[in-house]
Amino acid sequence: MNDSHFQATQAQFDEVAEVMSLDMNVSRRLRVPDRCFIISVPVRMEDGHVEVVPGYRVQHNDTLGPFKGGIRYAPDVTLGEVASLAMLMTWKTALMGLPLGGGKGGIRIDPSKLSRLENQRMTRRYTSELVGVIGPNVDIPAPDMGTNGQTMAWIMDTYSQMKGYACPGVVTGKPISIGGSLGRVEATGRGVAYTIAEAAKYLEMDLTGKKVAVQGFGNVGTHAALKLNKMGCIVTHVSDVKGGYINTKGFDVPAAVAYAEAHGNLKGFEGVQNECSQKDVLCAPVDILVPAATAHQINAEVAMNLKCRILAEGANNPVTPDGNKVLKERQKEIFLIPDILANAGGVTVSYFEWVQGLQNFFWSAKEVNKELSKIMTKAFLEVVTYQKEKGVDMRTATSMLAINRVAAAMLARGLYP
Ligand code: NAD
């Protein structure tokens, strides 16, 4: 696949496979996705004309259970990016000990330019094209950038109409009214904060008064900021698609989140002391940095200029391969919590939602958050123990642990036929 995102993820896999002397037959199977679907999605626009937009679903691996992963609507999404994210999902579910595989989907469109009806028609047509290859026991989509609970409700309804009965288990991240889980919306950001709390304990760092910078103030960034603020940290730097914002005393986070939700960004928020560039936010003099925007934001130059002690990857793939080399060299100064660990809270609560749906028995928000915290803590401790044992950097250790689990299951199942 001739795409820089996929090639970077595949190269990272090859590197880890070599370090761990992975069985060559397993490695050959895992470095490529099981299946890729490319769909031309025709959409009738409000003025009557028909647009045709490219849609994708990539199913990377289902050795441990049904393929699982979000659907992204973005103007620049490519098959390679989706394939790269699908591979990361396989490692993420394995790392968290979930009986799920890895998949990802996307449509190349800017959803902010669509009317609600156009978005609904596009989502339903995309779903109908995939109806034979998704399902509660096959492949279970969820929200990602540009999609939300409403998108999942349309997917669930389209799939159910085509099957002839209600199938809530076909997606997670659904609205509560149709079987969604309490705590799902906040789960990824909360999970980021839980892993930071564990890292602070590990580093014997008291979180009280520690300064935080958050890149991207959407679902993940806002919920991470809210939880870290509750844990005693102060959020001094934030960025979004419009720019960077500073408050050296610490933002009133709930007020900032309410403003961002109402206006789409923080421009004009009265709690901002100074504006700055988005890069200044990444390189701010803070204790904790949470990139929670798009991929490949931290290149070698940015990595050299980072000042944080803990870097918790809320976003998927926020570091370029060159940036990662620098982070390896700086691993004693910067403690990295890699994406497949830091942002695994979302898929973990998606798993809770799937389980609750299959059992038709629903948990309280308190139970969801308690179980989430338990699973995130367990995974964090497993990674740091494994990292010390193997003497490798945090990203390599995290990937090795996850890949080992998938490889063991593949070897146990064997190759058909
Ligand atoms: P979102 O669309 O809700 O928010 C994205 C935010 O990033 C917005 O505030 C946007 O303004 C900002 N942004 C975009 N480009 C930026 C830039 N160049 N600089 C600074 N800010 C910028 O998306 P989200 O769901 O919060 O996802 C964010 C990241 O987290 C993605 O990489 C996604 O794959 C990853 N992730 C999300 C989930 C989830 O459950 N939502 C789970 C795991 C990983």
Side-chain angles (χ1 to χ4, degrees), residues 1-12 31 33 36 56 58 72 76-87 108 295-296 317 321:
M1 210 174 290
N2 189 18
D3 176 281
S4 63
H5 289 276
F6 184 69
Q7 283 166 351
T9 305
Q10 199 179 45
Q12 197 194 327
R31 68 192 299 280
C36 300
Y56 313 102
V58 175
R72 175 174 292 195
D76 53 356
V77 75
T78 60
L79 177 65
E81 183 183 358
V82 172
S84 151
L85 293 165
M87 191 189 280
R108 197 177 173 87
H296 289 182
N317 270 333

Side-chain angles (χ1 to χ4, degrees), residues 266-310:
L266 271 182
K267 215 152 197 77
F269 176 54
E270 60 175 15
V272 173
Q273 280 174 346
N274 286 306
E275 292 202 11
C276 63
S277 73
Q278 290 151 330
K279 197 169 137 196
D280 289 341
V281 169
L282 290 172
C283 302
V286 292
D287 303 287
I288 298 159
L289 171 65
V290 180
T294 54
H296 289 182
Q297 295 294 303
I298 302 179
N299 58 21
E301 189 210 331
V302 174
M304 270 185 271
N305 286 299
L306 294 180
K307 301 188 184 60
C308 57
R309 177 71 184 101
I310 297 176

Side-chain angles (χ1 to χ4, degrees), residues 57 208 210 264 312 324 350 408 410:
R57 183 75 188 166
T208 315
K210 289 291 177 292
N324 200 38
S350 271
M410 273 181 121

Side-chain angles (χ1 to χ4, degrees), residues 309 326-336 387 391-394:
R309 177 71 184 101
V326 176
L327 288 182
K328 259 192 209 175
E329 285 159 18
R330 297 190 65 193
Q331 61 181 297
K332 289 223 161 70
E333 293 162 75
I334 300 175
F335 184 85
L336 173 71
Q387 187 242 349
V392 292
D393 62 284
M394 277 293 283

Side-chain angles (χ1 to χ4, degrees), residues 72 144-145 188 216-220 239-241 278 292-293 314-316:
R72 175 174 292 195
D144 191 72
M145 286 172 75
T188 306
F217 214 49
N219 176 282
V220 180
S239 66
D240 58 33
V241 75
Q278 290 151 330
N316 286 313

Side-chain angles (χ1 to χ4, degrees), residues 58-281:
V58 175
Q59 299 178 334
H60 174 257
N61 188 275
D62 68 345
T63 304
L64 291 170
F67 301 103
K68 184 86 193 84
I71 292 176
R72 175 174 292 195
Y73 290 174
D76 53 356
V77 75
T78 60
L79 177 65
E81 183 183 358
V82 172
S84 151
L85 293 165
M87 191 189 280
L88 285 188
M89 285 306 298
T90 303
W91 314 148
K92 202 180 290 185
T93 50
L95 184 73
M96 304 315 285
L98 309 177
L100 296 166
K104 202 84 180 186
I107 301 185
R108 197 177 173 87
I109 189 90
D110 179 351
S112 69
K113 301 222 163 86
L114 297 177
S115 71
R116 183 182 160 89
L117 264 175
E118 287 165 347
N119 194 332
Q120 180 173 173
R121 283 194 287 262
M122 179 185 78
T123 301
R124 287 184 180 279
R125 180 60 186 246
Y126 170 77
T127 308
S128 71
E129 298 283 347
L130 287 173
V131 84
V133 295
I134 59 171
N137 297 312
V138 186
D139 182 355
I140 309 151
D144 191 72
M145 286 172 75
T147 59
N148 53 29
Q150 179 59 74
T151 321
M152 296 306 115
W154 291 330
I155 295 177
M156 179 265 185
D157 185 66
T158 307
Y159 183 87
S160 300
Q161 293 302 332
M162 294 181 80
K163 290 285 168 187
Y165 52 94
C167 308
V170 66
V171 285
T172 58
K174 298 178 290 290
I176 305 292
S177 58
I178 53 167
S181 176
L182 294 168
R184 172 62 186 89
V185 173
E186 306 88 332
T188 306
R190 266 183 175 266
V192 171
Y194 290 149
T195 57
I196 291 171
E198 285 308 315
K201 259 193 240 165
Y202 180 71
L203 300 170
E204 297 180 4
M205 177 202 250
D206 179 4
L207 280 182
T208 315
K210 289 291 177 292
K211 291 183 180 167
V212 178
V214 180
Q215 185 210 28
F217 214 49
N219 176 282
V220 180
T222 53
H223 289 291
L226 284 165
K227 189 65 193 165
L228 286 167
N229 196 219
K230 276 205 171 149
M231 290 172 168
C233 300
I234 58 168
V235 178
T236 55
H237 294 73
V238 174
S239 66
D240 58 33
V241 75
K242 296 277 178 194
Y245 318 93
I246 306 175
N247 185 323
T248 49
K249 295 208 171 99
F251 285 101
D252 174 343
V253 181
V257 172
Y259 187 93
E261 278 172 4
H263 298 85
N265 57 72
L266 271 182
K267 215 152 197 77
F269 176 54
E270 60 175 15
V272 173
Q273 280 174 346
N274 286 306
E275 292 202 11
C276 63
S277 73
Q278 290 151 330
K279 197 169 137 196
D280 289 341
V281 169

